[in-house]
mmCIF file of all heavy atoms in Angstrom:
data_model
loop_
_atom_site.group_PDB
_atom_site.id
_atom_site.type_symbol
_atom_site.label_atom_id
_atom_site.label_comp_id
_atom_site.label_asym_id
_atom_site.label_seq_id
_atom_site.Cartn_x
_atom_site.Cartn_y
_atom_site.Cartn_z
ATOM 1 N N TYR B 1 91.567 131.166 16.027
ATOM 2 C CA TYR B 1 90.931 130.422 17.113
ATOM 3 C C TYR B 1 89.752 131.235 17.641
ATOM 4 O O TYR B 1 89.895 132.407 17.972
ATOM 5 C CB TYR B 1 91.901 130.172 18.251
ATOM 6 C CG TYR B 1 92.935 129.111 17.980
ATOM 7 C CD1 TYR B 1 94.208 129.439 17.544
ATOM 8 C CD2 TYR B 1 92.638 127.764 18.173
ATOM 9 C CE1 TYR B 1 95.168 128.476 17.293
ATOM 10 C CE2 TYR B 1 93.592 126.780 17.932
ATOM 11 C CZ TYR B 1 94.851 127.143 17.492
ATOM 12 O OH TYR B 1 95.790 126.186 17.251
ATOM 13 N N LEU B 2 88.595 130.605 17.692
ATOM 14 C CA LEU B 2 87.404 131.249 18.263
ATOM 15 C C LEU B 2 87.320 130.853 19.737
ATOM 16 O O LEU B 2 86.539 129.985 20.129
ATOM 17 C CB LEU B 2 86.146 130.837 17.514
ATOM 18 C CG LEU B 2 86.100 131.150 16.015
ATOM 19 C CD1 LEU B 2 84.780 130.684 15.404
ATOM 20 C CD2 LEU B 2 86.286 132.644 15.777
ATOM 21 N N ALA B 3 88.166 131.469 20.545
ATOM 22 C CA ALA B 3 88.225 131.107 21.960
ATOM 23 C C ALA B 3 88.809 132.244 22.778
ATOM 24 O O ALA B 3 89.673 132.989 22.310
ATOM 25 C CB ALA B 3 89.067 129.849 22.145
ATOM 26 N N ARG B 4 88.315 132.353 23.988
ATOM 27 C CA ARG B 4 88.843 133.280 24.985
ATOM 28 C C ARG B 4 88.988 132.469 26.268
ATOM 29 O O ARG B 4 88.054 131.777 26.669
ATOM 30 C CB ARG B 4 87.879 134.448 25.160
ATOM 31 C CG ARG B 4 88.300 135.525 26.134
ATOM 32 C CD ARG B 4 87.345 136.697 26.063
ATOM 33 N NE ARG B 4 87.610 137.542 24.904
ATOM 34 C CZ ARG B 4 86.667 138.184 24.220
ATOM 35 N NH1 ARG B 4 85.393 138.065 24.558
ATOM 36 N NH2 ARG B 4 86.999 138.947 23.195
ATOM 37 N N MET B 5 90.153 132.547 26.918
ATOM 38 C CA MET B 5 90.463 131.641 28.030
ATOM 39 C C MET B 5 90.829 132.388 29.299
ATOM 40 O O MET B 5 91.473 133.444 29.251
ATOM 41 C CB MET B 5 91.619 130.719 27.638
ATOM 42 C CG MET B 5 91.326 129.832 26.457
ATOM 43 S SD MET B 5 92.802 128.897 25.911
ATOM 44 C CE MET B 5 93.800 130.240 25.247
ATOM 45 N N LEU B 6 90.426 131.829 30.421
ATOM 46 C CA LEU B 6 90.773 132.330 31.747
ATOM 47 C C LEU B 6 91.541 131.237 32.481
ATOM 48 O O LEU B 6 91.038 130.119 32.616
ATOM 49 C CB LEU B 6 89.521 132.712 32.536
ATOM 50 C CG LEU B 6 89.726 133.082 34.001
ATOM 51 C CD1 LEU B 6 90.538 134.358 34.134
ATOM 52 C CD2 LEU B 6 88.374 133.234 34.707
ATOM 53 N N PHE B 7 92.759 131.548 32.941
ATOM 54 C CA PHE B 7 93.584 130.598 33.682
ATOM 55 C C PHE B 7 93.765 131.076 35.116
ATOM 56 O O PHE B 7 93.779 132.278 35.386
ATOM 57 C CB PHE B 7 94.962 130.458 33.036
ATOM 58 C CG PHE B 7 94.978 129.711 31.737
ATOM 59 C CD1 PHE B 7 94.750 130.384 30.542
ATOM 60 C CD2 PHE B 7 95.198 128.335 31.701
ATOM 61 C CE1 PHE B 7 94.759 129.706 29.340
ATOM 62 C CE2 PHE B 7 95.219 127.663 30.508
ATOM 63 C CZ PHE B 7 95.006 128.339 29.314
ATOM 64 N N ALA B 8 93.930 130.110 36.010
ATOM 65 C CA ALA B 8 94.256 130.421 37.403
ATOM 66 C C ALA B 8 95.308 129.446 37.892
ATOM 67 O O ALA B 8 95.287 128.258 37.550
ATOM 68 C CB ALA B 8 93.020 130.352 38.290
ATOM 69 N N GLU B 9 96.228 129.963 38.688
ATOM 70 C CA GLU B 9 97.267 129.142 39.327
ATOM 71 C C GLU B 9 97.206 129.396 40.820
ATOM 72 O O GLU B 9 97.288 130.553 41.256
ATOM 73 C CB GLU B 9 98.645 129.506 38.775
ATOM 74 C CG GLU B 9 99.779 128.696 39.377
ATOM 75 C CD GLU B 9 101.126 129.130 38.800
ATOM 76 O OE1 GLU B 9 101.490 130.329 38.973
ATOM 77 O OE2 GLU B 9 101.795 128.300 38.174
ATOM 78 N N ILE B 10 97.058 128.333 41.594
ATOM 79 C CA ILE B 10 96.873 128.488 43.030
ATOM 80 C C ILE B 10 98.213 128.646 43.741
ATOM 81 O O ILE B 10 99.218 128.027 43.361
ATOM 82 C CB ILE B 10 96.079 127.304 43.617
ATOM 83 C CG1 ILE B 10 95.581 127.639 45.020
ATOM 84 C CG2 ILE B 10 96.911 126.020 43.602
ATOM 85 C CD1 ILE B 10 94.510 126.705 45.498
ATOM 86 N N GLY B 11 98.226 129.520 44.758
ATOM 87 C CA GLY B 11 99.418 129.735 45.565
ATOM 88 C C GLY B 11 99.218 129.227 46.976
ATOM 89 O O GLY B 11 98.194 128.629 47.314
ATOM 90 N N GLU B 12 100.214 129.488 47.810
ATOM 91 C CA GLU B 12 100.148 129.032 49.201
ATOM 92 C C GLU B 12 99.076 129.778 49.993
ATOM 93 O O GLU B 12 98.518 129.243 50.943
ATOM 94 C CB GLU B 12 101.514 129.226 49.876
ATOM 95 C CG GLU B 12 102.606 128.314 49.321
ATOM 96 C CD GLU B 12 102.263 126.838 49.483
ATOM 97 O OE1 GLU B 12 101.754 126.454 50.558
ATOM 98 O OE2 GLU B 12 102.487 126.077 48.528
ATOM 99 N N LYS B 13 98.793 131.013 49.614
ATOM 100 C CA LYS B 13 97.745 131.812 50.258
ATOM 101 C C LYS B 13 97.053 132.638 49.174
ATOM 102 O O LYS B 13 97.575 132.768 48.050
ATOM 103 C CB LYS B 13 98.330 132.707 51.339
ATOM 104 C CG LYS B 13 99.453 133.614 50.908
ATOM 105 C CD LYS B 13 100.022 134.354 52.106
ATOM 106 C CE LYS B 13 101.093 135.368 51.688
ATOM 107 N NZ LYS B 13 102.264 134.731 51.074
ATOM 108 N N PRO B 14 95.847 133.188 49.460
ATOM 109 C CA PRO B 14 95.114 133.923 48.428
ATOM 110 C C PRO B 14 95.914 135.020 47.754
ATOM 111 O O PRO B 14 95.765 135.247 46.557
ATOM 112 C CB PRO B 14 93.911 134.491 49.205
ATOM 113 C CG PRO B 14 93.671 133.490 50.295
ATOM 114 C CD PRO B 14 95.044 133.028 50.702
ATOM 115 N N ASP B 15 96.804 135.695 48.499
ATOM 116 C CA ASP B 15 97.607 136.767 47.904
ATOM 117 C C ASP B 15 98.537 136.253 46.817
ATOM 118 O O ASP B 15 98.997 137.021 45.973
ATOM 119 C CB ASP B 15 98.431 137.474 48.974
ATOM 120 C CG ASP B 15 97.583 138.369 49.870
ATOM 121 O OD1 ASP B 15 96.432 138.663 49.473
ATOM 122 O OD2 ASP B 15 98.051 138.754 50.953
ATOM 123 N N ASP B 16 98.845 134.964 46.841
ATOM 124 C CA ASP B 16 99.782 134.382 45.857
ATOM 125 C C ASP B 16 99.076 133.813 44.633
ATOM 126 O O ASP B 16 99.738 133.380 43.685
ATOM 127 C CB ASP B 16 100.598 133.254 46.514
ATOM 128 C CG ASP B 16 101.458 133.767 47.651
ATOM 129 O OD1 ASP B 16 101.905 134.930 47.599
ATOM 130 O OD2 ASP B 16 101.665 133.003 48.627
ATOM 131 N N ASP B 17 97.759 133.761 44.640
ATOM 132 C CA ASP B 17 97.023 133.227 43.494
ATOM 133 C C ASP B 17 97.223 134.123 42.277
ATOM 134 O O ASP B 17 97.322 135.349 42.394
ATOM 135 C CB ASP B 17 95.526 133.120 43.809
ATOM 136 C CG ASP B 17 95.237 132.112 44.911
ATOM 137 O OD1 ASP B 17 96.104 131.248 45.183
ATOM 138 O OD2 ASP B 17 94.156 132.194 45.509
ATOM 139 N N LEU B 18 97.256 133.495 41.113
ATOM 140 C CA LEU B 18 97.462 134.235 39.853
ATOM 141 C C LEU B 18 96.315 133.958 38.907
ATOM 142 O O LEU B 18 95.947 132.792 38.687
ATOM 143 C CB LEU B 18 98.789 133.830 39.214
ATOM 144 C CG LEU B 18 99.088 134.434 37.844
ATOM 145 C CD1 LEU B 18 99.251 135.957 37.937
ATOM 146 C CD2 LEU B 18 100.357 133.799 37.255
ATOM 147 N N PHE B 19 95.751 135.012 38.330
ATOM 148 C CA PHE B 19 94.689 134.901 37.331
ATOM 149 C C PHE B 19 95.130 135.662 36.082
ATOM 150 O O PHE B 19 95.622 136.788 36.178
ATOM 151 C CB PHE B 19 93.383 135.521 37.844
ATOM 152 C CG PHE B 19 92.849 134.887 39.099
ATOM 153 C CD1 PHE B 19 93.252 135.344 40.344
ATOM 154 C CD2 PHE B 19 91.952 133.845 39.028
ATOM 155 C CE1 PHE B 19 92.771 134.764 41.506
ATOM 156 C CE2 PHE B 19 91.446 133.252 40.188
ATOM 157 C CZ PHE B 19 91.859 133.713 41.422
ATOM 158 N N LEU B 20 94.960 135.060 34.929
ATOM 159 C CA LEU B 20 95.212 135.780 33.679
ATOM 160 C C LEU B 20 94.286 135.297 32.588
ATOM 161 O O LEU B 20 93.815 134.159 32.597
ATOM 162 C CB LEU B 20 96.688 135.700 33.258
ATOM 163 C CG LEU B 20 97.339 134.364 32.945
ATOM 164 C CD1 LEU B 20 97.002 133.885 31.552
ATOM 165 C CD2 LEU B 20 98.848 134.494 33.084
ATOM 166 N N ARG B 21 94.034 136.204 31.649
ATOM 167 C CA ARG B 21 93.129 135.949 30.534
ATOM 168 C C ARG B 21 93.925 135.996 29.239
ATOM 169 O O ARG B 21 94.751 136.887 29.044
ATOM 170 C CB ARG B 21 92.039 137.018 30.548
ATOM 171 C CG ARG B 21 90.931 136.813 29.546
ATOM 172 C CD ARG B 21 89.760 137.748 29.840
ATOM 173 N NE ARG B 21 90.138 139.152 29.822
ATOM 174 C CZ ARG B 21 89.980 139.994 30.838
ATOM 175 N NH1 ARG B 21 89.480 139.582 31.965
ATOM 176 N NH2 ARG B 21 90.350 141.269 30.733
ATOM 177 N N ILE B 22 93.697 135.036 28.363
ATOM 178 C CA ILE B 22 94.335 135.026 27.048
ATOM 179 C C ILE B 22 93.249 135.132 25.993
ATOM 180 O O ILE B 22 92.314 134.329 25.963
ATOM 181 C CB ILE B 22 95.167 133.755 26.805
ATOM 182 C CG1 ILE B 22 96.142 133.502 27.955
ATOM 183 C CG2 ILE B 22 95.930 133.870 25.495
ATOM 184 C CD1 ILE B 22 96.996 132.265 27.771
ATOM 185 N N ASP B 23 93.379 136.123 25.117
ATOM 186 C CA ASP B 23 92.368 136.357 24.099
ATOM 187 C C ASP B 23 92.717 135.643 22.806
ATOM 188 O O ASP B 23 93.811 135.108 22.633
ATOM 189 C CB ASP B 23 92.195 137.856 23.856
ATOM 190 C CG ASP B 23 90.737 138.270 23.936
ATOM 191 O OD1 ASP B 23 89.873 137.493 23.498
ATOM 192 O OD2 ASP B 23 90.467 139.375 24.450
ATOM 193 N N TYR B 24 91.769 135.664 21.883
ATOM 194 C CA TYR B 24 91.909 134.966 20.606
ATOM 195 C C TYR B 24 93.070 135.472 19.758
ATOM 196 O O TYR B 24 93.568 134.773 18.883
ATOM 197 C CB TYR B 24 90.606 135.110 19.802
ATOM 198 C CG TYR B 24 90.160 136.547 19.643
ATOM 199 C CD1 TYR B 24 90.654 137.348 18.624
ATOM 200 C CD2 TYR B 24 89.249 137.107 20.526
ATOM 201 C CE1 TYR B 24 90.263 138.666 18.494
ATOM 202 C CE2 TYR B 24 88.853 138.422 20.405
ATOM 203 C CZ TYR B 24 89.357 139.203 19.391
ATOM 204 O OH TYR B 24 88.972 140.507 19.263
ATOM 205 N N ASP B 25 93.539 136.707 20.011
ATOM 206 C CA ASP B 25 94.663 137.266 19.255
ATOM 207 C C ASP B 25 95.992 137.137 19.992
ATOM 208 O O ASP B 25 96.993 137.713 19.584
ATOM 209 C CB ASP B 25 94.403 138.733 18.927
ATOM 210 C CG ASP B 25 94.187 139.593 20.172
ATOM 211 O OD1 ASP B 25 94.186 139.021 21.293
ATOM 212 O OD2 ASP B 25 94.016 140.809 20.027
#
C-alpha cells in the first residue's frame, strides 16, 4: 500500500483526544 494515515478520535475533553499514525508497513 502506498499510503500513510493519520487518525484522530475525539474525547470528552482535549486531554482525552487520541492521535495515531499508521505507516505503509
Side-chain angles (χ1 to χ4, degrees):
Y1 285 97
L2 300 180
R4 182 172 282 146
M5 298 173 291
L6 172 65
F7 288 87
E9 181 181 60
I10 195 164
E12 293 300 318
K13 55 185 184 297
D15 287 344
D16 298 328
D17 295 341
L18 175 65
F19 300 88
L20 61 81
R21 186 168 59 238
I22 309 180
D23 231 323
Y24 53 85
D25 59 357

